[in-house]
Amino acid sequence: LSFTVVNDPVFGVIWLAWAALWLLFFLVLGLRRARLTRFTGWSVVLLSQPTCTLPAFLMLSGNYRTSPGIAAIWAVGLAALLLVARVLSAHRTHQPRTAANEPVFS
């Protein structure tokens, strides 16, 4: 609807980013895909500011602009942040679990 009825493609891109985040939550929490946990965490951390705080600030300050070109820039930026989340989630800084059947969720 953001792309067609409301004519706000930037917000359409933001909604697509949140749809991806909700899909990740479903995969990790609903289907127990534990290997996506770190990626999901980093995705939430990295996408939270540009998809919530930044648009809110721009709207409150009267500087929010939307057009297909601006939406494309947002899409590229958010996709880049997902790639950064992928890289950060691949870097392991903690010790692996010692018990093979230790539950991932409590």
Side-chain angles (χ1 to χ4, degrees):
L1 291 175
S2 291
F3 290 108
T4 57
V5 175
V6 182
N7 196 26
D8 188 351
V10 170
F11 229 77
V13 170
I14 291 169
W15 276 113
L16 289 174
W18 275 93
L21 289 174
W22 281 108
L23 174 64
L24 287 170
F25 289 142
F26 172 71
L27 292 173
V28 170
L29 300 172
L31 300 181
R32 298 187 183 260
R33 302 272 172 91
R35 64 184 178 87
L36 292 174
T37 302
R38 289 177 58 87
F39 175 68
T40 301
W42 278 112
S43 297
V44 170
V45 167
L46 294 175
L47 292 181
S48 63
Q49 298 305 311
T51 62
C52 292
T53 308
L54 184 58
F57 175 76
L58 291 172
M59 286 179 194
L60 289 171
S61 65
N63 293 314
Y64 180 79
R65 305 288 183 261
T66 187
S67 73
I70 295 172
I73 293 168
W74 277 75
V76 169
L78 295 176
L81 289 174
L82 285 174
L83 288 174
V84 170
R86 173 72 173 113
V87 170
L88 291 172
S89 65
H91 180 67
R92 297 204 177 260
T93 58
H94 64 283
Q95 296 295 325
R97 297 183 186 276
T98 54
N101 56 2
E102 181 180 346
V104 176
F105 300 99
S106 359

